Structure formats: structure tokens, C-alpha cells
């Protein structure tokens, strides 16, 4: 899931940013990295403690998915009212929940495969993030296309629960990779936009950084999952 808050408007008088754009962007990517680190740490902890045998059975995966969705929706809807600490707490709560969910991948796939796909994801993500940060092109115009593509992916995912779409799996994965590579560029450029929009309000600027970190985190995770389905081989 990937959502934005383009309708936000800056408020308060302009007092000037407390840090440079590059510093603000670095901090945002730093939060994203800590979120990923939390997810992977929780995944390994869930596996090695044996909790995976309780979290990967019955209705637990479904409940975890609902909790993750609820966290993202709550954070998106109340970003103006949340404190900075609450926004960070929700971000890491999502990372923890996702870590529990991701622990099943450690059983389903060889570790070498996961490491290879992670490296591929980091490469694609890094290239698009650098391009978006330094290009002068306005990538915010592609948002309607990205949202349309995301809706298509969601519909296909729902249909796959009732209809066998395995013959289209490769095509769906390719579309997913393209969409989230593009989302990476879009969300990276949103960091710069938020920096100038909210530079007169330090609290909102800090919360925007956390929200952007969540968006980039989601881009990375979804890109990783689609690449894993495309190139990964499950353990025998």
C-alpha cells in the first residue's frame, strides 16, 4: 500500500529550515533504513525463537495483515494530529509487524536467494532514488499513473484469491517491479517537496520526514517481494 498527503498545506510563518535539504533527505532515508533493520531483526528473532510456528498458522497472518493496514491508514489519516513521537512509534510498530510476517520467507526461500534479491532491490532502489533526488524533472505528475497501476495490482491480487492467475504471474510481477521502481522515484522527490512546503513548521517537517520514510520503506518492501517472486526459487 502506498499513500500520500499531497493535500497538506504549510502553515505558520516562514522561519527558515533548521537543516539543509541534503541533511533532511539523509535523515529521512536513515529512518527508512532503521525501519528495514527492525523488520529483518524481528524476522530472524521470530524464526530462531520458534514463534514463527505460532504466527504463520491459522488466522494469524490475516490478522497481522489487517494490523499493518490499520497502522498505515491511521498514520496517513492523522498525520496532522499525531505527535512526532507517535508518528515514529507507529512507523516502528509497522516495521515490527511486517518483520513477524516476513519471517515466513526465511523458511520458504534459501537464504542465498533472499540475499541476492535483497541486493538487487537495493540496487534498483538506490539508482531510482539518486535519479529522483538530482533530476530537475517534475515526477509528481506521474502520480495518477502510479495510483492507477497500484489499483490494478490490488485488483489482480484479490482476483488471485479466487481465480488461478499463475499463467500471468510473471507479467504481474514485472508490472509490480515497474510500479514500485517508479514509486521510489516519486516518493524520493516528495522529500524535497515536503521540505519546502513545511520548512516554516519544524514539527510538521519532522512528521513529514517519518511519513516519507514509511512511503520509501513500503516501496522497498514491495519491490523486494515482486523481485523475489520473479527471480526467487523456493526451498525444497
Amino acid at each position: 500500500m502506498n499513500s500520500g498527503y499531497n493535500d497538506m498545506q504549510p502553515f505558520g510563518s516562514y522561519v527558515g529550515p533548521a537543516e539543509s535539504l541534503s541533511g533532511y533527505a539523509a535523515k529521512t532515508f536513515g529512518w527508512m533504513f532503521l525501519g528495514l533493520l527492525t523488520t529483518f531483526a524481528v524476522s530472524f528473532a521470530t524464526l530462531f525463537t520458534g514463534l514463527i510456528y505460532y504466527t504463520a498458522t491459522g488466522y494469524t497472518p490475516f490478522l497481522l495483515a489487517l494490523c499493518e493496514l490499520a497502522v498505515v491508514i491511521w498514520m496517513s489519516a492523522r498525520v496532522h494530529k499525531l505527535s512526532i513521537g507517535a508518528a515514529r512509534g507507529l512507523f516502528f510498530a509497522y516495521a515490527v509487524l511486517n518483520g513477524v510476517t516476513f519471517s515466513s520467507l526465511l523458511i520458504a526461500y534459501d537464504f542465498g536467494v533472499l540475499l541476492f534479491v535483497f541486493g538487487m532491490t537495493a540496487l534498483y532502489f538506490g539508482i531510482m532514488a539518486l535519479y529522483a533526488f538530482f533530476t530537475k524533472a517534475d515526477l509528481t505528475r506521474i502520480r495518477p499513473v502510479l495510483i492507477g497501476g497500484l489499483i490494478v495490482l490490488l485488483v489482480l491480487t484479490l482476483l488471485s484469491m479466487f481465480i488461478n492467475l499463475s499463467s500471468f504471474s510473471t507479467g504481474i510481477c514485472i508490472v509490480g517491479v515497474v510500479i514500485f521502481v517508479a514509486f521510489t522515484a516519486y516518493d524520493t522527490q516528495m522529500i524535497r517537496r515536503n521540505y519546502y512546503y513545511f520548512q516554516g513548521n519544524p514539527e510538521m517537517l519532522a512528521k513529514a520526514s517519518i511519513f516519507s520514510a514509511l512511503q520509501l520503506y513500503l516501496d522497498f518492501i514491495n519491490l523486494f517481494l515482486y523481485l523475489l517472486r520473479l527471480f526467487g526459487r523456493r526451498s525444497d
Side-chain angles (χ1 to χ4, degrees), residues 8 14-15 20 52 78 130 140 160 162 194 207 211 213 218 221 228 232:
M8 285 185 179
Y14 174 75
V15 296
S20 65
I52 188 172
R78 297 185 62 84
L130 286 172
T140 59
S160 66
F162 307 99
N194 292 335
K207 289 191 287 185
F211 195 87
L218 291 170
I221 290 296
L228 186 62

Side-chain angles (χ1 to χ4, degrees), residues 12-46:
S13 60
Y14 174 75
V15 296
E19 59 188 334
S20 65
L21 172 59
S22 59
Y24 180 73
K27 181 185 294 183
T28 301
F29 279 101
W31 285 116
M32 186 209 76
F33 175 77
L34 287 176
L36 290 174
L37 191 63
T38 299
T39 293
F40 295 132
V42 171
S43 295
F44 281 103
T46 303

Side-chain angles (χ1 to χ4, degrees), residues 162-185:
F162 307 99
I163 304 174
N164 185 3
L165 298 177
S166 58
S167 58
F168 302 99
S169 60
T170 299
I172 293 173
C173 288
I174 291 175
V175 172
V177 168
V178 171
I179 287 175
F180 285 104
V181 162
F183 256 123
T184 298

Side-chain angles (χ1 to χ4, degrees), residues 171-229:
I172 293 173
C173 288
I174 291 175
V175 172
V177 168
V178 171
I179 287 175
F180 285 104
V181 162
F183 256 123
T184 298
Y186 171 84
D187 288 327
T188 297
Q189 199 167 84
M190 284 297 296
I191 297 174
R192 181 167 61 197
R193 187 179 184 210
N194 292 335
Y195 174 79
Y196 290 116
Y197 263 36
F198 302 117
Q199 59 187 356
N201 187 328
E203 182 180 2
M204 196 63 229
L205 191 64
K207 289 191 287 185
S209 177
I210 299 299
F211 195 87
S212 290
L214 175 62
Q215 300 287 58
L216 292 165
Y217 171 97
L218 291 170
D219 296 336
F220 191 99
I221 290 296
N222 281 287
L223 181 57
F224 173 80
L225 289 174
Y226 279 109
L227 285 172
L228 186 62
R229 294 170 191 168

